[in-house]
Amino acid sequence: MSRSAHPAGPRHADVLPEGHYAAPPADLNTLDPKVWAQTVERGADGVVTVGGIPVTRIAEEFGTPAYVLDEADFRARARAWRDAFGQDADVFYAGKAFLSRAVVRWLDEEGLNLDVCSGTELATALSAGMPADRIAFHGNNKSAAEIERAVHAGVGRIVLDSFQEIVRVAHIAQSLGRRQRVQIRITVGVEAHTHEFIATAHEDQKFGIPLAGGQAAEAVRRALRLDGLELIGIHSHIGSQIFDMSGFEVAAHRVVGLLKDIRDEHGVELPEIDLGGGLGIAYTSDDDPREPHEIAKALTEIVSRECEAAKLRTPRISVEPGRAVVGPTAFTLYEVGTVKPLDGLRTYVSVDGGMSDNIRTALYDAEYSVALVSRTSDAEPMLVRVVGKHCESGDIVVKDAFLPADLAPGDLIAVPATGAYCRSMASNYNHALRPPVLAVADGEARVIVRRETEDDLLRLDVG
Ligand code: LLP
């Protein structure tokens, strides 16, 4: 690896410009287990390993940038969710966070169900052998073809998102001679404490049917009247990257309130409620997420308490974590290309990827951490902004972080907690080729989603 000398840029806390960073960590070589996948550690030679494999070997064999996913960690987290909720509840992994056939097989083996939100996510799940009755089908604008495919495949539930869809699904199910199990997604009017674009249960947005004004009750009335539908429950998803359980508490209270109204009006007790996903993970050392068993305990207690007060049988609960299962299990491995110190500001570190493999920083102002992983360094910390290679100044991967001042082109750096909503939201901006996803387990790395090639891109260009 080449090293070029350069001025180190601003280093000390007393000369730092304004920003969202804490003081530089005491030791830049230490990897905080809170943000790194379980099997990640720094080897005796200073090179970081995952599943026993040095990142330098991964970079050599598979190139950079690459998403490196710790399979053992994924399976352990999936199991932790399943065990936390036990036999009386169901865990649906939200495939939008990251979906591939290998992931579907792991989920199946670990006893999780799957939430999909497009016909192609459904196709991926089915092609990997996920039993259709363990799949939930979501979306605020499912096409007739998607609905037909889902009903035909025999998905376990379709989550209805609008009045039109109630009729559409009923009609399609009936024409196929089926009675489709459905839930109705409602918006409970909770403002989750998260970014506006990922909060979903306040009323002024596109998902669900508002509880307010009796609309959800009317949706239930209509669904109960239609022969093609078997209404099994109510669904609520309040947002994403949430740490505070109070939003779930209010949501559960309101969902159970609706179940009670349904019982009083129709004499039916719906057997299921789904409280969605949205549980936060640690992107930086400042984040303190809850463990699945704490979340399971809190949610089941809230629902039981509310049901007891309403004199209802406690429904079967389901949840749909995406980020909390896959997010912490992967990191993105980049090679440093240029290091540009700006006097009195910060040092810009350009990597061989960027907003095409991680749009979350640009889109949500998301915070990430970063570490030098191909070696250790005793150099002083320097304030950096890790940026990509796209033609856009908002192409930022890590807005504010510290890396050693001797960082140089050719070094490998890694951004942890990129398992969720990075590959799944990746783009071909500037005709970037989307990076591969490598699963690492038991001392072996294998490609589960291959790197795109120039041929892949040119094949679509048929003009
Ligand atoms: N269930 C439903 C109905 C959802 O809409 C979502 C996420 C989930 C479950 C899973 O949420 P999770 O546990 O992964 O937070 N692209 C954004 C997140 C969008 C989430 C959309 N729906 C991000 O990168 O933060």
Side-chain angles (χ1 to χ4, degrees), residues 81 92-98 115-117 138-139 159 161 185 194-195 197-200 207 235-242 248 274-281 283 319-327 358-361 363-364 366 368 420-422 424-425:
W81 276 90
F92 286 76
Y93 167 79
K96 67 207 82 183
F98 172 63
D115 141 16
V116 298
C117 64
H138 272 278
V159 183
D161 199 86
R185 176 162 174 181
T194 187
H195 190 282
F197 295 168
I198 51 180
T200 58
F207 292 109
H235 185 287
S236 156
H237 170 77
I238 59 171
S240 260
Q241 187 57 5
I242 302 167
F248 288 99
D274 190 306
L275 293 172
L279 284 316
I281 62 163
Y283 284 102
V319 289
E320 299 171 335
R323 184 192 323 262
V325 177
V326 71
N358 187 350
I359 190 66
R360 298 193 68 262
T361 309
L363 197 52
Y364 314 119
Y368 282 92
Y421 304 110
C422 287
S424 67
M425 292 172 78

Side-chain angles (χ1 to χ4, degrees), residues 101-179:
R101 291 201 262 212
V103 160
V104 174
R105 285 191 293 270
W106 301 339
L107 293 166
D108 187 13
E109 285 162 19
E110 302 300 342
L112 269 70
N113 305 315
L114 180 63
D115 141 16
V116 298
C117 64
S118 70
T120 26
E121 282 188 2
L122 175 63
T124 304
L126 293 173
S127 78
M130 178 60 87
D133 63 351
R134 283 169 48 201
I135 299 176
F137 188 36
H138 272 278
N140 66 303
N141 188 18
K142 309 169 189 78
S143 70
E146 287 175 316
I147 296 169
E148 205 169 310
R149 189 172 194 178
V151 174
H152 184 75
V155 297
R157 66 168 78 143
I158 294 181
V159 183
L160 302 173
D161 199 86
S162 67
F163 283 97
Q164 282 94 357
E165 204 174 77
I166 294 173
V167 178
R168 218 172 270 160
V169 173
H171 179 76
I172 291 172
Q174 224 172 352
S175 69
L176 293 172
R178 300 282 180 88
R179 189 148 186 259

Side-chain angles (χ1 to χ4, degrees), residues 57 64 116 138 144 346 387 456:
R57 176 138 51 94
T64 54
V116 298
H138 272 278
R346 71 193 84 242
V387 296
D456 289 331

Side-chain angles (χ1 to χ4, degrees), residues 315-386:
R316 191 173 176 85
I317 300 175
S318 50
V319 289
E320 299 171 335
R323 184 192 323 262
V325 177
V326 71
T329 68
F331 58 83
T332 314
L333 187 61
Y334 298 106
E335 185 178 299
V336 173
T338 64
V339 179
K340 189 185 288 184
L342 297 185
D343 269 351
L345 291 171
R346 71 193 84 242
T347 296
Y348 278 80
V349 174
S350 294
V351 294
D352 46 358
M355 66 194 298
S356 55
D357 58 71
N358 187 350
I359 190 66
R360 298 193 68 262
T361 309
L363 197 52
Y364 314 119
D365 221 3
E367 286 179 29
Y368 282 92
S369 7
V370 61
L372 170 61
V373 288
S374 50
R375 62 183 172 93
T376 51
S377 166
D378 296 327
E380 281 181 80
M382 77 176 160
L383 178 65
V384 300
R385 180 159 288 173
V386 179

